[in-house]
Amino acid sequence: MRIIGIDPGSRITGYGIIDKLGPNLGFVACGTIRAEREKDFTRRLLVIFDGLSEVIERHRPEAAAVEDVFVAHNARSALKLGQARGAAVVALLRQGLPVHGYPPRLVKQAVTGCGGAEKAQVQHMIQVLLELSGPPSSDAADALAVAVCHAQRLAFG
């Protein structure tokens, strides 16, 4: 099964695609969609939607997992993050993908064993788990971690 993981952000949205072949995981692709150049926030949402739609069409995942929004200290930032997540979810649903959400602590726990892991730990473990030659960017690593978390959930029912 091909799984796309999404780490939504209003400026940078990470994506990571893996194949789950029985108990094995294989790296397919990862990257970022950069909406930070758009000054108008609503235009950023379109950049996220269009960028993810292109990635989905290129790699044809069968399932999608998106990191849930965490409540930040800044309510305005949390609202923007929620809107970015919404643009990503609509892009996934528009392509007919089932979408699953996971809280950040569960994602980190799935790949590092610790729900409070730092970004560098997630990057390192993703590099090890997927046998990558180098660490992906932090946004792409987070997205790959979301995909790995979903793959693990599939394995355990």
Side-chain angles (χ1 to χ4, degrees):
M1 169 178 277
R2 182 159 288 183
I3 303 166
I4 184 169
I6 306 294
D7 176 37
S10 62
R11 295 182 182 278
I12 302 171
T13 292
Y15 68 88
I17 303 165
I18 62 171
D19 282 336
K20 179 178 175 4
L21 308 165
N24 301 318
L25 299 178
F27 173 79
V28 176
C30 69
T32 56
I33 296 160
R34 297 175 117 22
E36 60 199 350
R37 293 190 183 121
E38 280 290 341
K39 300 294 181 212
D40 178 29
F41 176 74
T42 56
R43 302 283 309 164
R44 287 186 199 163
L45 300 176
L46 182 59
V47 170
I48 293 166
F49 178 88
D50 287 344
L52 282 178
S53 295
E54 184 180 312
V55 168
I56 295 163
E57 288 173 16
R58 185 179 323 125
H59 295 287
R60 299 284 180 207
E62 300 163 76
V66 183
E67 189 169 80
D68 289 339
V69 174
F70 64 94
V71 179
H73 296 291
N74 183 333
R76 187 171 184 174
S77 293
L79 286 171
K80 285 185 175 183
L81 183 58
Q83 290 179 62
R85 185 181 188 280
V89 168
V90 171
L92 298 164
L93 291 172
R94 185 79 158 160
Q95 298 287 331
L97 293 171
V99 178
H100 307 271
Y102 296 100
R105 289 189 67 79
L106 183 62
V107 171
K108 291 175 183 179
Q109 186 175 16
V111 296
T112 69
C114 175
E118 299 291 326
K119 283 195 172 284
Q121 291 172 290
V122 173
Q123 282 177 289
H124 174 72
M125 286 307 299
I126 285 299
Q127 181 182 353
V128 170
L129 287 170
L130 298 177
E131 300 176 351
L132 304 176
S133 60
S137 72
S138 63
D139 296 299
D142 287 350
L144 286 165
V146 175
V148 168
C149 179
H150 183 63
Q152 289 178 355
R153 291 289 161 178
L154 290 174
F156 297 112

